[in-house]
Amino acid sequence: MEELRENQVYSFDPPDFFSDAYTFQEVISIPKRARGTRRILVFKAVRNDDGYEVAVRCMPSTLREGDQELAEQQLATLKEIQKMRKQLKLQCIVKLHGYCKINSDPFATYAPQESDLPPLLPGTFYWNVIMDYIPKGYKTLSQKKMNWDMIIVFLVDLLYTIWQARRHFQFYHGDIHQENIMFLSLGEWEQTRTYNIEGMQFKVKAPYLPVLVDFELSRFGGNKREFHSDVQDIVSALDYIAVKEHKLKALRSYDRLREQVVGIRGFPAFEDSRFTPEKIVQILHTHPLFENLRTPIQGGEEPPLTKYKKNM
């Protein structure tokens, strides 16, 4: 196996290392677009030496020049995302462990029931991208724990993460929606997290942590409009989770909060309604969930969210 530094995503070489080191358990999802010629498969596996659970996203590519360039670009982006996550300690971005090139068709191995799929093009191979397995999606969150307070905490978690990623790395996710937000269940001692922003420190306690996944469309060097598109997508995804999935009744105070973040009815006027860190501070100051610790930041640098044991 190629030896790389901690802040990089490991490249497994030879490819047999993956099948020797991990054991397949079950298919997690087959994205809708996988049913065409671009076949993507996500499955759960267990690391053999310690039982650690991972999710594996199988992405197809070919030996054609354009496809190879796209695959190399995506892998380079994944490496930079891991570097960003580690440097800023952004726990709301899934931890990536590594990748390997597989010449066999994962559908034939792991999802033979999908026999109606078209055959692979000659020269097609798959990249297996390995990341932390997070079992909870928005549909599996506890109905008893879901309320507008929880949605507001999720909103701050994700806005804070995207703002830090944008501020330090000009990061653009590009595909934030309810299916690409997973929720990590936290133990009692892990639930308190802190935000350090604009010279102030706040803390909050919540049983779940939202985690962004799927970086196929992500890139660095995004412009301000793309950043605000990520912000709007976060708000829209949480609206869907709250209202459509968990049937929370409309709350006027949350509607006002949403308007502060992205503009009236979720449609921001990009010229005069830019998202700023002050808007996060406004939420932290005005909502009783968040305790203001009033601790000045030393050295001018802002530590990000608190650590949690599973993904460190």
Side-chain angles (χ1 to χ4, degrees), residues 20-280:
D20 292 340
Y22 293 87
T23 299
F24 167 81
Q25 283 206 321
E26 62 180 314
V27 172
I28 300 172
S29 69
I30 301 175
K32 291 180 180 179
R33 62 178 175 271
R35 300 186 184 279
T37 56
R38 184 162 172 72
R39 308 194 296 179
I40 298 173
L41 179 69
V42 184
F43 65 86
K44 176 184 175 184
V46 174
R47 197 159 57 198
N48 294 332
D49 59 355
D50 60 3
Y52 193 91
E53 294 179 332
V54 298
V56 183
R57 183 179 177 87
C58 306
M59 301 187 300
S61 186
T62 72
L63 297 176
R64 292 180 299 189
E65 183 177 352
D67 287 347
Q68 285 197 77
E69 289 179 358
L70 178 60
E72 290 172 2
Q73 180 182 352
Q74 289 179 344
L75 291 175
T77 299
L78 289 176
K79 291 180 181 181
E80 285 299 307
I81 290 171
Q82 176 67 357
K83 179 180 178 181
M84 175 183 75
R85 181 190 183 277
K86 182 178 178 64
Q87 182 173 324
L88 299 179
K89 297 184 174 66
L90 296 179
Q91 306 304 322
C92 290
I93 290 178
V94 70
K95 182 177 182 180
L96 304 171
H97 293 277
Y99 62 92
C100 57
K101 181 179 176 181
I102 301 294
N103 291 322
S104 59
D105 182 1
F107 278 86
T109 306
Y110 304 122
Q113 69 276 14
E114 300 292 327
S115 57
D116 58 332
L117 289 172
L120 291 175
L121 296 173
T124 297
F125 59 89
Y126 274 82
W127 288 106
N128 281 1
V129 179
I130 306 157
M131 65 196 77
D132 267 359
Y133 171 66
I134 303 175
K136 283 190 178 295
Y138 69 94
K139 294 182 179 180
T140 59
L141 294 172
S142 170
Q143 291 283 358
K144 293 181 180 179
K145 295 179 181 179
M146 283 304 298
N147 51 44
W148 284 111
D149 285 349
M150 190 70 65
I151 295 295
I152 290 172
V153 174
F154 294 161
L155 178 66
V156 173
D157 283 337
L158 294 172
L159 291 179
Y160 184 84
T161 296
I162 289 296
W163 168 65
Q164 288 277 52
R166 164 66 186 176
R167 176 189 178 204
H168 294 282
F169 284 84
Q170 289 76 52
F171 175 71
Y172 169 59
H173 185 286
D175 195 22
I176 298 176
H177 53 79
Q178 60 272 12
E179 300 290 345
N180 284 342
I181 304 174
M182 305 303 290
F183 294 89
L184 182 68
S185 295
L186 302 176
E188 181 69 24
W189 64 273
E190 301 171 302
Q191 293 181 9
T192 299
R193 45 194 181 263
T194 59
Y195 313 91
N196 296 284
I197 185 169
E198 298 294 290
M200 293 169 285
Q201 186 178 69
F202 298 82
K203 75 173 182 178
V204 69
K205 184 176 181 180
Y208 299 119
L209 185 74
V211 181
L212 295 172
V213 300
D214 193 350
F215 306 102
E216 192 173 349
L217 301 180
S218 300
R219 66 186 184 88
F220 294 87
N223 57 43
K224 289 183 178 180
R225 190 177 187 89
E226 290 172 329
F227 168 65
H228 290 285
S229 176
D230 272 352
V231 169
Q232 184 176 350
D233 288 345
I234 288 171
V235 175
S236 297
L238 294 178
D239 280 352
Y240 183 94
I241 292 171
V243 178
K244 297 292 186 181
E245 182 63 31
H246 291 277
K247 311 300 182 185
L248 298 184
K249 294 183 179 179
L251 186 67
R252 180 57 187 159
S253 60
Y254 184 80
D255 289 342
R256 288 196 295 268
L257 184 151
R258 183 200 299 110
E259 292 173 10
Q260 292 171 8
V261 173
V262 296
I264 297 174
R265 300 180 184 273
F267 296 97
F270 286 102
E271 291 74 18
D272 56 14
S273 183
R274 297 290 187 180
F275 175 80
T276 63
E278 286 78 11
K279 292 187 177 181
I280 302 179

